[in-house]
Amino acid sequence: MEPATQMAHDQQQPKWEGVATAELLGPKAEQVWPFLEDFFGLHKWFPTLTTCLPVHGISGQPGCVRYCAGFKTPVDCEGDQPEPNWTKQELLSIDPSQMTYSYSIVDGNVGFNSYISTLKVVPKEDGCSIEWKYEVEPVEGWTLKDLDVFIDTGLQVMASRMKASLSPKLEV
């Protein structure tokens, strides 16, 4: 395909959309929400993310931007990479009373264009769940299934880490 034809074809593809959910039995939504609300603290929970630094603004206020780096994706090549994967993410909106926020990727080297996510903590009778909705233009070298697995796997580990941090410490 000619480059101009390929660009026109890519622009006609619908955005990928997905949702991942993690159930947390025991912890209440009000206990889990502060972990997610800490927009600059994602590295504490997301697997393989080594860096999450403030770039601009105050954590938890719309317009703030975080720099995230070090994560591996399903399409990373084996061996040496010249630089780590990184993104800059902007908090678009937040509603603590509904325990939800949305953010977008505004820059990065992983090929995510027009990426927007919404995370929400949902109260349940026996605990809570975390819901992660996302949409992005098709990503070169990825499939929607790659993205679904990447986000779902990351969310399951995040939920597990959050639950473990809330569990009473065993006394020795």
Side-chain angles (χ1 to χ4, degrees), residues 33 36-40 56-67 88-96 100-106 115-119:
W33 169 246
L36 289 177
E37 188 177 31
D38 177 14
F39 193 67
F40 296 156
H56 170 72
I58 297 170
S59 184
Q61 292 188 2
C64 71
V65 176
R66 65 186 176 195
Y67 168 86
K88 287 184 182 174
Q89 304 172 357
E90 179 180 0
L91 183 63
L92 300 174
S93 64
I94 187 166
D95 185 345
T100 187
Y101 71 79
S102 295
Y103 73 93
S104 67
I105 293 178
V106 294
Y115 178 92
I116 297 177
S117 276
T118 300
L119 282 87

Side-chain angles (χ1 to χ4, degrees), residues 18-24 118-124 128-134 148-149 151-160:
V19 62
T21 303
E23 302 291 331
L24 288 90
T118 300
L119 282 87
K120 181 176 179 89
V121 181
V122 180
K124 305 274 185 178
C128 66
S129 64
I130 303 171
E131 185 178 273
W132 187 335
K133 291 183 180 179
Y134 44 94
D148 289 342
V149 168
I151 291 182
D152 184 62
T153 301
L155 179 58
Q156 299 309 317
V157 172
M158 285 175 57
S160 175

Side-chain angles (χ1 to χ4, degrees), residues 8-163:
H9 174 74
D10 289 348
Q11 290 172 353
Q12 293 172 359
Q13 288 186 315
K15 283 190 175 182
W16 290 346
E17 295 181 5
V19 62
T21 303
E23 302 291 331
L24 288 90
L25 296 176
K28 299 291 181 207
E30 297 77 19
Q31 294 174 295
V32 173
W33 169 246
F35 299 140
L36 289 177
E37 188 177 31
D38 177 14
F39 193 67
F40 296 156
L42 183 62
H43 63 292
K44 298 171 189 172
W45 313 111
F46 196 85
T48 73
L49 183 65
T50 57
T51 304
C52 183
L53 299 170
V55 172
H56 170 72
I58 297 170
S59 184
Q61 292 188 2
C64 71
V65 176
R66 65 186 176 195
Y67 168 86
C68 296
F71 54 90
K72 297 281 187 199
T73 69
V75 296
D76 286 337
C77 299
E78 294 295 323
D80 296 332
Q81 280 188 270
E83 63 178 295
N85 288 327
W86 65 273
T87 59
K88 287 184 182 174
Q89 304 172 357
E90 179 180 0
L91 183 63
L92 300 174
S93 64
I94 187 166
D95 185 345
S97 68
Q98 295 297 311
M99 293 182 274
T100 187
Y101 71 79
S102 295
Y103 73 93
S104 67
I105 293 178
V106 294
D107 196 8
N109 68 352
V110 293
F112 285 24
N113 296 312
S114 301
Y115 178 92
I116 297 177
S117 276
T118 300
L119 282 87
K120 181 176 179 89
V121 181
V122 180
K124 305 274 185 178
E125 245 182 66
D126 55 355
C128 66
S129 64
I130 303 171
E131 185 178 273
W132 187 335
K133 291 183 180 179
Y134 44 94
E135 69 175 50
V136 66
E137 292 176 7
V139 181
E140 185 178 337
W142 289 60
T143 66
L144 177 55
K145 183 175 181 184
D146 291 332
L147 182 59
D148 289 342
V149 168
F150 176 67
I151 291 182
D152 184 62
T153 301
L155 179 58
Q156 299 309 317
V157 172
M158 285 175 57
S160 175
R161 289 177 175 177
M162 290 174 180
K163 183 176 179 180

